[in-house]
Amino acid sequence: MSAERFVRVGGVAHHVVVDGTGPVCVLSAGLAMSWFDWDPVVPLLAPYRTVVRFDRPGHGLSAPAPAAPSAAAEAHRIAGLLDALGLPGPATVVGHSLAGFHAEAFARMHPGRTAGLVLVDSSVEEHARVPAAPALRTAAVSGLGAVLTALGVPAAVGPLARRAAVRLSRHSGGDPAPAALVRRCYATSRVMNGALLENAHYRAVAAELLALRARSPLPAGLPVTVLAAPDGSPRWAERQRGLARRLGARFEAVEPSGHLMMLDRPGAVARAVLDLDQCDV
């Protein structure tokens, strides 16, 4: 049975759902996604793992984001959530899309607390540079969010935009999320603003991770798996292979699957987590 709660990390209320028993596994979804997007994966892991799902600030049911995101802050957020839940032991961290940056940063900044990494069609930026004037970017998206909220855009368009984005990001099929949950999250300015803020600082987070790679190696022998969803794109497949080579990771092309692999191929995601114990990297 799921245990749903709110825990405070850095003064912000985070929505967290915990299932199962055993070694800890943290699931972190990509930009504008929510805890329930992992629903197909959780039943496959919960018999063997304590599965922790959470919403970053401005996502799902968590409180609004108080500041622009950074790779370091997201790494510390995962550690803070585990502390708040009383789960100090090493955890396997699964990062989807943008959250792949966060998962890798956690492993580099908290090596003693990392049991393994699974990167699920992770974002890849080989040559990112920190954009100029980050404060202006934050102010710009804040202003844009205020205008869109005043026009009633989140309530009018948010759930429809979510449904369309999920459909476009899958190999086949629509959005399986319950309509009530989609409205509860995506009809709000809070979630719209959270997505705008993370998107605005995407390059900065990517550049920060590149710098972190240069000074903070992954723990020796850490099992890492890169799951890619090429979906007909040889270039994307090669970039994902390059990420695996850089991290000394096992690489697997999961086909057929769209970007939302947890919905298209939940078994592949769960198997990658459970197989980490047998990884020899």
Side-chain angles (χ1 to χ4, degrees), residues 11-52:
V12 179
H14 290 69
H15 175 245
V16 184
V17 181
V18 181
D19 297 87
T21 58
V24 177
C25 175
V26 178
L27 306 179
S28 187
L31 176 70
M33 306 307 289
S34 298
W35 85 96
F36 52 77
D37 290 305
W38 294 105
D39 278 355
V41 177
V42 172
L44 306 177
L45 288 177
Y48 315 101
R49 298 289 187 271
T50 298
V51 183
V52 177

mmCIF file of all heavy atoms in Angstrom, residues 11-52:
data_model
loop_
_atom_site.group_PDB
_atom_site.id
_atom_site.type_symbol
_atom_site.label_atom_id
_atom_site.label_comp_id
_atom_site.label_asym_id
_atom_site.label_seq_id
_atom_site.Cartn_x
_atom_site.Cartn_y
_atom_site.Cartn_z
ATOM 1 N N GLY A 11 12.761 24.052 3.594
ATOM 2 C CA GLY A 11 11.623 24.920 3.849
ATOM 3 C C GLY A 11 10.477 24.768 2.872
ATOM 4 O O GLY A 11 9.484 25.494 2.967
ATOM 5 N N VAL A 12 10.574 23.825 1.921
ATOM 6 C CA VAL A 12 9.548 23.636 0.898
ATOM 7 C C VAL A 12 8.835 22.303 1.128
ATOM 8 O O VAL A 12 9.491 21.274 1.368
ATOM 9 C CB VAL A 12 10.166 23.659 -0.515
ATOM 10 C CG1 VAL A 12 9.099 23.428 -1.581
ATOM 11 C CG2 VAL A 12 10.887 24.974 -0.760
ATOM 12 N N ALA A 13 7.517 22.315 1.043
ATOM 13 C CA ALA A 13 6.733 21.092 1.200
ATOM 14 C C ALA A 13 6.797 20.267 -0.083
ATOM 15 O O ALA A 13 6.383 20.735 -1.152
ATOM 16 C CB ALA A 13 5.289 21.423 1.534
ATOM 17 N N HIS A 14 7.333 19.047 0.024
ATOM 18 C CA HIS A 14 7.469 18.144 -1.112
ATOM 19 C C HIS A 14 6.475 16.998 -0.978
ATOM 20 O O HIS A 14 6.396 16.352 0.082
ATOM 21 C CB HIS A 14 8.878 17.555 -1.179
ATOM 22 C CG HIS A 14 9.939 18.520 -1.565
ATOM 23 N ND1 HIS A 14 10.347 19.547 -0.747
ATOM 24 C CD2 HIS A 14 10.692 18.604 -2.702
ATOM 25 C CE1 HIS A 14 11.312 20.224 -1.351
ATOM 26 N NE2 HIS A 14 11.540 19.675 -2.528
ATOM 27 N N HIS A 15 5.760 16.725 -2.048
ATOM 28 C CA HIS A 15 4.862 15.583 -2.096
ATOM 29 C C HIS A 15 5.661 14.322 -2.392
ATOM 30 O O HIS A 15 6.426 14.275 -3.360
ATOM 31 C CB HIS A 15 3.804 15.804 -3.179
ATOM 32 C CG HIS A 15 2.898 14.644 -3.389
ATOM 33 N ND1 HIS A 15 2.857 13.926 -4.561
ATOM 34 C CD2 HIS A 15 1.995 14.061 -2.557
ATOM 35 C CE1 HIS A 15 1.968 12.957 -4.452
ATOM 36 N NE2 HIS A 15 1.434 13.002 -3.252
ATOM 37 N N VAL A 16 5.502 13.299 -1.534
ATOM 38 C CA VAL A 16 6.283 12.065 -1.628
ATOM 39 C C VAL A 16 5.345 10.875 -1.494
ATOM 40 O O VAL A 16 4.408 10.886 -0.675
ATOM 41 C CB VAL A 16 7.361 11.994 -0.525
ATOM 42 C CG1 VAL A 16 8.219 10.749 -0.694
ATOM 43 C CG2 VAL A 16 8.231 13.234 -0.528
ATOM 44 N N VAL A 17 5.594 9.844 -2.260
ATOM 45 C CA VAL A 17 4.847 8.590 -2.164
ATOM 46 C C VAL A 17 5.858 7.456 -2.024
ATOM 47 O O VAL A 17 6.815 7.365 -2.812
ATOM 48 C CB VAL A 17 3.957 8.355 -3.397
ATOM 49 C CG1 VAL A 17 3.169 7.048 -3.244
ATOM 50 C CG2 VAL A 17 3.002 9.519 -3.610
ATOM 51 N N VAL A 18 5.642 6.593 -1.021
ATOM 52 C CA VAL A 18 6.564 5.486 -0.755
ATOM 53 C C VAL A 18 5.798 4.173 -0.850
ATOM 54 O O VAL A 18 4.711 4.036 -0.268
ATOM 55 C CB VAL A 18 7.217 5.620 0.625
ATOM 56 C CG1 VAL A 18 8.194 4.475 0.872
ATOM 57 C CG2 VAL A 18 7.946 6.960 0.752
ATOM 58 N N ASP A 19 6.361 3.211 -1.561
ATOM 59 C CA ASP A 19 5.769 1.881 -1.717
ATOM 60 C C ASP A 19 6.834 0.826 -1.472
ATOM 61 O O ASP A 19 8.023 1.049 -1.731
ATOM 62 C CB ASP A 19 5.231 1.686 -3.139
ATOM 63 C CG ASP A 19 4.113 2.620 -3.506
ATOM 64 O OD1 ASP A 19 4.407 3.739 -3.977
ATOM 65 O OD2 ASP A 19 2.948 2.241 -3.339
ATOM 66 N N GLY A 20 6.396 -0.354 -1.020
ATOM 67 C CA GLY A 20 7.258 -1.524 -0.986
ATOM 68 C C GLY A 20 8.227 -1.576 0.173
ATOM 69 O O GLY A 20 8.212 -0.742 1.089
ATOM 70 N N THR A 21 9.087 -2.588 0.127
ATOM 71 C CA THR A 21 10.104 -2.809 1.150
ATOM 72 C C THR A 21 11.392 -3.264 0.470
ATOM 73 O O THR A 21 11.381 -3.756 -0.650
ATOM 74 C CB THR A 21 9.676 -3.890 2.157
ATOM 75 O OG1 THR A 21 9.417 -5.112 1.451
ATOM 76 C CG2 THR A 21 8.432 -3.474 2.928
ATOM 77 N N GLY A 22 12.490 -3.113 1.194
ATOM 78 C CA GLY A 22 13.775 -3.546 0.670
ATOM 79 C C GLY A 22 14.689 -2.370 0.423
ATOM 80 O O GLY A 22 14.448 -1.256 0.906
ATOM 81 N N PRO A 23 15.778 -2.580 -0.328
ATOM 82 C CA PRO A 23 16.697 -1.486 -0.644
ATOM 83 C C PRO A 23 15.957 -0.319 -1.296
ATOM 84 O O PRO A 23 14.974 -0.510 -2.014
ATOM 85 C CB PRO A 23 17.696 -2.128 -1.608
ATOM 86 C CG PRO A 23 17.627 -3.587 -1.309
ATOM 87 C CD PRO A 23 16.212 -3.864 -0.920
ATOM 88 N N VAL A 24 16.449 0.879 -1.069
ATOM 89 C CA VAL A 24 15.739 2.082 -1.511
ATOM 90 C C VAL A 24 16.012 2.380 -2.974
ATOM 91 O O VAL A 24 17.151 2.282 -3.453
ATOM 92 C CB VAL A 24 16.143 3.287 -0.642
ATOM 93 C CG1 VAL A 24 15.465 4.562 -1.131
ATOM 94 C CG2 VAL A 24 15.809 3.027 0.814
ATOM 95 N N CYS A 25 14.955 2.761 -3.676
ATOM 96 C CA CYS A 25 15.026 3.177 -5.070
ATOM 97 C C CYS A 25 14.230 4.471 -5.210
ATOM 98 O O CYS A 25 13.043 4.514 -4.871
ATOM 99 C CB CYS A 25 14.459 2.093 -5.983
ATOM 100 S SG CYS A 25 14.380 2.562 -7.721
ATOM 101 N N VAL A 26 14.869 5.517 -5.703
ATOM 102 C CA VAL A 26 14.225 6.818 -5.892
ATOM 103 C C VAL A 26 13.919 7.002 -7.372
ATOM 104 O O VAL A 26 14.790 6.837 -8.223
ATOM 105 C CB VAL A 26 15.130 7.963 -5.402
ATOM 106 C CG1 VAL A 26 14.461 9.319 -5.640
ATOM 107 C CG2 VAL A 26 15.467 7.789 -3.933
ATOM 108 N N LEU A 27 12.668 7.364 -7.671
ATOM 109 C CA LEU A 27 12.243 7.613 -9.038
ATOM 110 C C LEU A 27 11.996 9.106 -9.220
ATOM 111 O O LEU A 27 11.177 9.698 -8.510
ATOM 112 C CB LEU A 27 10.957 6.848 -9.359
ATOM 113 C CG LEU A 27 10.960 5.341 -9.098
ATOM 114 C CD1 LEU A 27 9.587 4.748 -9.439
ATOM 115 C CD2 LEU A 27 12.058 4.647 -9.888
ATOM 116 N N SER A 28 12.694 9.723 -10.157
ATOM 117 C CA SER A 28 12.545 11.153 -10.408
ATOM 118 C C SER A 28 12.213 11.378 -11.881
ATOM 119 O O SER A 28 12.975 10.984 -12.766
ATOM 120 C CB SER A 28 13.830 11.900 -10.034
ATOM 121 O OG SER A 28 13.657 13.294 -10.128
ATOM 122 N N ALA A 29 11.075 12.009 -12.128
ATOM 123 C CA ALA A 29 10.566 12.174 -13.489
ATOM 124 C C ALA A 29 11.085 13.454 -14.131
ATOM 125 O O ALA A 29 11.634 14.343 -13.474
ATOM 126 C CB ALA A 29 9.039 12.167 -13.483
ATOM 127 N N GLY A 30 10.865 13.555 -15.429
ATOM 128 C CA GLY A 30 11.377 14.681 -16.201
ATOM 129 C C GLY A 30 10.554 15.942 -16.066
ATOM 130 O O GLY A 30 9.625 16.042 -15.254
ATOM 131 N N LEU A 31 10.900 16.913 -16.882
ATOM 132 C CA LEU A 31 10.276 18.230 -16.865
ATOM 133 C C LEU A 31 8.765 18.120 -17.003
ATOM 134 O O LEU A 31 8.248 17.463 -17.913
ATOM 135 C CB LEU A 31 10.837 19.071 -18.020
ATOM 136 C CG LEU A 31 10.233 20.446 -18.230
ATOM 137 C CD1 LEU A 31 10.625 21.381 -17.098
ATOM 138 C CD2 LEU A 31 10.681 21.024 -19.567
ATOM 139 N N ALA A 32 8.063 18.752 -16.068
ATOM 140 C CA ALA A 32 6.602 18.871 -16.083
ATOM 141 C C ALA A 32 5.879 17.546 -15.841
ATOM 142 O O ALA A 32 4.666 17.477 -16.013
ATOM 143 C CB ALA A 32 6.116 19.502 -17.383
ATOM 144 N N MET A 33 6.587 16.513 -15.428
ATOM 145 C CA MET A 33 5.946 15.237 -15.126
ATOM 146 C C MET A 33 5.653 15.141 -13.635
ATOM 147 O O MET A 33 6.136 15.951 -12.834
ATOM 148 C CB MET A 33 6.821 14.075 -15.588
ATOM 149 C CG MET A 33 7.236 14.152 -17.052
ATOM 150 S SD MET A 33 5.860 14.365 -18.204
ATOM 151 C CE MET A 33 5.081 12.757 -18.096
ATOM 152 N N SER A 34 4.860 14.123 -13.254
ATOM 153 C CA SER A 34 4.390 13.991 -11.872
ATOM 154 C C SER A 34 4.638 12.593 -11.338
ATOM 155 O O SER A 34 4.980 11.672 -12.091
ATOM 156 C CB SER A 34 2.896 14.314 -11.801
ATOM 157 O OG SER A 34 2.636 15.653 -12.190
ATOM 158 N N TRP A 35 4.421 12.445 -10.040
ATOM 159 C CA TRP A 35 4.677 11.159 -9.392
ATOM 160 C C TRP A 35 3.905 10.024 -10.039
ATOM 161 O O TRP A 35 4.391 8.901 -10.136
ATOM 162 C CB TRP A 35 4.342 11.262 -7.899
ATOM 163 C CG TRP A 35 2.904 11.028 -7.555
ATOM 164 C CD1 TRP A 35 2.342 9.856 -7.129
ATOM 165 C CD2 TRP A 35 1.822 11.971 -7.636
ATOM 166 N NE1 TRP A 35 0.987 10.008 -6.935
ATOM 167 C CE2 TRP A 35 0.646 11.294 -7.228
ATOM 168 C CE3 TRP A 35 1.730 13.321 -7.985
ATOM 169 C CZ2 TRP A 35 -0.592 11.933 -7.178
ATOM 170 C CZ3 TRP A 35 0.508 13.953 -7.939
ATOM 171 C CH2 TRP A 35 -0.629 13.268 -7.540
ATOM 172 N N PHE A 36 2.682 10.299 -10.498
ATOM 173 C CA PHE A 36 1.848 9.209 -11.017
ATOM 174 C C PHE A 36 2.307 8.705 -12.383
ATOM 175 O O PHE A 36 1.830 7.677 -12.853
ATOM 176 C CB PHE A 36 0.371 9.614 -11.060
ATOM 177 C CG PHE A 36 0.072 10.909 -11.767
ATOM 178 C CD1 PHE A 36 0.072 10.987 -13.144
ATOM 179 C CD2 PHE A 36 -0.243 12.053 -11.040
ATOM 180 C CE1 PHE A 36 -0.222 12.175 -13.794
ATOM 181 C CE2 PHE A 36 -0.546 13.246 -11.673
ATOM 182 C CZ PHE A 36 -0.535 13.311 -13.062
ATOM 183 N N ASP A 37 3.252 9.407 -13.007
ATOM 184 C CA ASP A 37 3.763 8.903 -14.276
ATOM 185 C C ASP A 37 4.620 7.650 -14.097
ATOM 186 O O ASP A 37 4.922 6.966 -15.080
ATOM 187 C CB ASP A 37 4.559 9.997 -14.989
ATOM 188 C CG ASP A 37 3.648 11.108 -15.492
ATOM 189 O OD1 ASP A 37 2.704 10.796 -16.230
ATOM 190 O OD2 ASP A 37 3.854 12.275 -15.114
ATOM 191 N N TRP A 38 4.995 7.355 -12.851
ATOM 192 C CA TRP A 38 5.724 6.122 -12.559
ATOM 193 C C TRP A 38 4.793 4.969 -12.178
ATOM 194 O O TRP A 38 5.275 3.871 -11.859
ATOM 195 C CB TRP A 38 6.708 6.345 -11.417
ATOM 196 C CG TRP A 38 7.822 7.278 -11.732
ATOM 197 C CD1 TRP A 38 7.964 8.571 -11.302
ATOM 198 C CD2 TRP A 38 8.979 7.004 -12.526
ATOM 199 N NE1 TRP A 38 9.125 9.116 -11.784
ATOM 200 C CE2 TRP A 38 9.781 8.181 -12.534
ATOM 201 C CE3 TRP A 38 9.429 5.880 -13.215
ATOM 202 C CZ2 TRP A 38 10.993 8.254 -13.222
ATOM 203 C CZ3 TRP A 38 10.641 5.958 -13.900
ATOM 204 C CH2 TRP A 38 11.407 7.131 -13.891
ATOM 205 N N ASP A 39 3.493 5.193 -12.204
ATOM 206 C CA ASP A 39 2.555 4.162 -11.733
ATOM 207 C C ASP A 39 2.769 2.790 -12.374
ATOM 208 O O ASP A 39 2.687 1.775 -11.683
ATOM 209 C CB ASP A 39 1.107 4.614 -11.960
ATOM 210 C CG ASP A 39 0.594 5.546 -10.871
ATOM 211 O OD1 ASP A 39 1.324 5.782 -9.884
ATOM 212 O OD2 ASP A 39 -0.536 6.052 -11.002
ATOM 213 N N PRO A 40 3.024 2.677 -13.686
ATOM 214 C CA PRO A 40 3.208 1.344 -14.258
ATOM 215 C C PRO A 40 4.464 0.624 -13.763
ATOM 216 O O PRO A 40 4.538 -0.610 -13.811
ATOM 217 C CB PRO A 40 3.298 1.616 -15.772
ATOM 218 C CG PRO A 40 2.638 2.934 -15.973
ATOM 219 C CD PRO A 40 2.980 3.722 -14.743
ATOM 220 N N VAL A 41 5.470 1.381 -13.305
ATOM 221 C CA VAL A 41 6.744 0.788 -12.884
ATOM 222 C C VAL A 41 6.679 0.301 -11.434
ATOM 223 O O VAL A 41 7.274 -0.729 -11.082
ATOM 224 C CB VAL A 41 7.886 1.811 -13.054
ATOM 225 C CG1 VAL A 41 9.210 1.240 -12.545
ATOM 226 C CG2 VAL A 41 8.016 2.236 -14.502
ATOM 227 N N VAL A 42 5.961 1.029 -10.590
ATOM 228 C CA VAL A 42 6.003 0.771 -9.144
ATOM 229 C C VAL A 42 5.604 -0.651 -8.770
ATOM 230 O O VAL A 42 6.303 -1.295 -7.969
ATOM 231 C CB VAL A 42 5.158 1.812 -8.394
ATOM 232 C CG1 VAL A 42 5.020 1.440 -6.921
ATOM 233 C CG2 VAL A 42 5.789 3.198 -8.521
ATOM 234 N N PRO A 43 4.514 -1.221 -9.298
ATOM 235 C CA PRO A 43 4.160 -2.592 -8.902
ATOM 236 C C PRO A 43 5.226 -3.629 -9.249
ATOM 237 O O PRO A 43 5.287 -4.693 -8.613
ATOM 238 C CB PRO A 43 2.866 -2.869 -9.672
ATOM 239 C CG PRO A 43 2.327 -1.534 -10.038
ATOM 240 C CD PRO A 43 3.526 -0.650 -10.228
ATOM 241 N N LEU A 44 6.050 -3.328 -10.236
ATOM 242 C CA LEU A 44 7.108 -4.250 -10.639
ATOM 243 C C LEU A 44 8.320 -4.166 -9.727
ATOM 244 O O LEU A 44 9.121 -5.104 -9.659
ATOM 245 C CB LEU A 44 7.524 -3.957 -12.084
ATOM 246 C CG LEU A 44 6.399 -3.960 -13.124
ATOM 247 C CD1 LEU A 44 6.946 -3.590 -14.496
ATOM 248 C CD2 LEU A 44 5.700 -5.306 -13.164
ATOM 249 N N LEU A 45 8.457 -3.037 -9.013
ATOM 250 C CA LEU A 45 9.601 -2.842 -8.123
ATOM 251 C C LEU A 45 9.263 -3.044 -6.655
ATOM 252 O O LEU A 45 10.124 -3.475 -5.875
ATOM 253 C CB LEU A 45 10.158 -1.415 -8.298
ATOM 254 C CG LEU A 45 10.915 -1.110 -9.585
ATOM 255 C CD1 LEU A 45 11.324 0.358 -9.611
ATOM 256 C CD2 LEU A 45 12.140 -1.997 -9.729
ATOM 257 N N ALA A 46 8.040 -2.710 -6.261
ATOM 258 C CA ALA A 46 7.686 -2.679 -4.836
ATOM 259 C C ALA A 46 7.878 -4.004 -4.105
ATOM 260 O O ALA A 46 8.182 -3.990 -2.901
ATOM 261 C CB ALA A 46 6.248 -2.186 -4.677
ATOM 262 N N PRO A 47 7.736 -5.170 -4.750
ATOM 263 C CA PRO A 47 8.006 -6.408 -4.011
ATOM 264 C C PRO A 47 9.481 -6.561 -3.606
ATOM 265 O O PRO A 47 9.791 -7.368 -2.721
ATOM 266 C CB PRO A 47 7.598 -7.508 -4.998
ATOM 267 C CG PRO A 47 6.638 -6.860 -5.923
ATOM 268 C CD PRO A 47 7.151 -5.459 -6.073
ATOM 269 N N TYR A 48 10.367 -5.786 -4.234
ATOM 270 C CA TYR A 48 11.802 -5.967 -4.021
ATOM 271 C C TYR A 48 12.518 -4.703 -3.542
ATOM 272 O O TYR A 48 13.671 -4.781 -3.122
ATOM 273 C CB TYR A 48 12.463 -6.406 -5.332
ATOM 274 C CG TYR A 48 11.706 -7.478 -6.054
ATOM 275 C CD1 TYR A 48 10.893 -7.158 -7.146
ATOM 276 C CD2 TYR A 48 11.775 -8.806 -5.651
ATOM 277 C CE1 TYR A 48 10.178 -8.139 -7.820
ATOM 278 C CE2 TYR A 48 11.058 -9.791 -6.312
ATOM 279 C CZ TYR A 48 10.263 -9.454 -7.400
ATOM 280 O OH TYR A 48 9.558 -10.423 -8.058
ATOM 281 N N ARG A 49 11.873 -3.559 -3.628
ATOM 282 C CA ARG A 49 12.496 -2.284 -3.305
ATOM 283 C C ARG A 49 11.545 -1.389 -2.520
ATOM 284 O O ARG A 49 10.320 -1.484 -2.684
ATOM 285 C CB ARG A 49 12.908 -1.527 -4.591
ATOM 286 C CG ARG A 49 13.944 -2.223 -5.453
ATOM 287 C CD ARG A 49 15.313 -2.225 -4.801
ATOM 288 N NE ARG A 49 16.347 -2.737 -5.695
ATOM 289 C CZ ARG A 49 16.683 -4.018 -5.794
ATOM 290 N NH1 ARG A 49 16.049 -4.928 -5.055
ATOM 291 N NH2 ARG A 49 17.650 -4.400 -6.615
ATOM 292 N N THR A 50 12.131 -0.516 -1.685
ATOM 293 C CA THR A 50 11.370 0.596 -1.122
ATOM 294 C C THR A 50 11.415 1.702 -2.169
ATOM 295 O O THR A 50 12.462 2.304 -2.409
ATOM 296 C CB THR A 50 11.989 1.089 0.193
ATOM 297 O OG1 THR A 50 11.949 0.029 1.153
ATOM 298 C CG2 THR A 50 11.232 2.291 0.740
ATOM 299 N N VAL A 51 10.298 1.941 -2.810
ATOM 300 C CA VAL A 51 10.235 2.838 -3.960
ATOM 301 C C VAL A 51 9.757 4.213 -3.502
ATOM 302 O O VAL A 51 8.663 4.356 -2.962
ATOM 303 C CB VAL A 51 9.295 2.290 -5.044
ATOM 304 C CG1 VAL A 51 9.310 3.206 -6.270
ATOM 305 C CG2 VAL A 51 9.691 0.876 -5.426
ATOM 306 N N VAL A 52 10.587 5.214 -3.734
ATOM 307 C CA VAL A 52 10.287 6.592 -3.340
ATOM 308 C C VAL A 52 10.051 7.413 -4.604
ATOM 309 O O VAL A 52 10.930 7.510 -5.464
ATOM 310 C CB VAL A 52 11.440 7.207 -2.528
ATOM 311 C CG1 VAL A 52 11.139 8.668 -2.181
ATOM 312 C CG2 VAL A 52 11.704 6.389 -1.268
#
